[in-house]
């Protein structure tokens, strides 16, 4: 879709539509957003990723559904590994993720650990 619409249309229309998914009551849609948005960020580049996508993904860390929070952590890890977000920008998010290393659900603990490692490298 990104290549079909081009950068300007993606920024103008698709990005706004994607961001509304995080406000949906369907937790699976919010999880799917976090799972797929890194591919869109590759197309958008680091500036739009930092300004538009990252704040939304940061909010997903505190989602009431643990699987969404775990996917948000994986998303932020992917953004760092793709070099779309500088590791020093993520330091504040590492502080937010640290308590999740003790979360009762294994998937959240694993995602938190997987996020902290690439930021520390």
């Amino acid at each position: 879709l990104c290549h079909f619409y081009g950068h300007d249309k993606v920024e103008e229309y698709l990005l706004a539509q994607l961001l509304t998914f995080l406000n949906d009551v369907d937790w699976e849609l919010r999880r799917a957003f976090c799972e797929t948005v890194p591919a869109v960020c590759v197309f958008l580049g680091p500036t739009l990723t930092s300004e538009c996508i990252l704040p939304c993904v940061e909010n997903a860390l505190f989602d009431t559904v643990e699987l969404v929070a775990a996917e948000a952590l994986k998303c932020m890890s992917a953004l760092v590994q793709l070099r779309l977000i500088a590791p020093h920008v993520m330091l504040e998010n590492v502080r937010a993720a640290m308590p999740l290393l003790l979360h009762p659900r294994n998937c959240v603990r694993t995602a938190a650990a997987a996020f902290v490692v690439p930021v520390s490298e």
Side-chain angles (χ1 to χ4, degrees):
L1 250 116
C2 291
H3 292 287
F4 177 76
Y5 283 117
H7 192 272
D8 291 339
K9 297 289 184 198
V10 167
E11 186 178 338
E12 189 175 340
Y13 299 111
L14 188 61
L15 185 58
Q17 183 65 38
L18 284 173
L19 296 179
T20 63
F21 292 160
L22 286 175
N23 294 324
D24 200 276
V25 295
D26 182 4
W27 70 269
E28 291 173 325
L29 184 58
R30 296 191 309 271
R31 182 179 164 275
F33 170 86
C34 292
E35 184 178 15
T36 57
V37 80
V40 177
C41 291
V42 168
F43 185 79
L44 292 174
T47 303
L48 280 174
T49 298
S50 318
E51 294 173 2
C52 298
I53 302 294
L54 185 60
C56 297
V57 176
E58 290 170 343
N59 286 337
L61 277 180
F62 306 104
D63 198 283
T64 56
V65 177
E66 293 144 336
L67 294 174
V68 176
E71 202 61 52
L73 286 162
K74 291 177 190 176
C75 176
M76 291 194 309
S77 177
L79 294 176
V80 171
Q81 290 172 341
L82 292 167
R83 301 190 193 293
L84 293 168
I85 302 290
H88 72 275
V89 172
M90 294 304 246
L91 288 179
E92 210 44 53
N93 293 322
V94 168
R95 287 187 191 98
M98 294 303 268
L100 297 175
L101 291 168
L102 301 173
H103 196 278
R105 294 238 5 217
N106 185 43
C107 66
V108 176
R109 286 193 313 269
T110 303
F115 167 63
V116 171
V117 170
V119 172
S120 65
E121 292 176 341

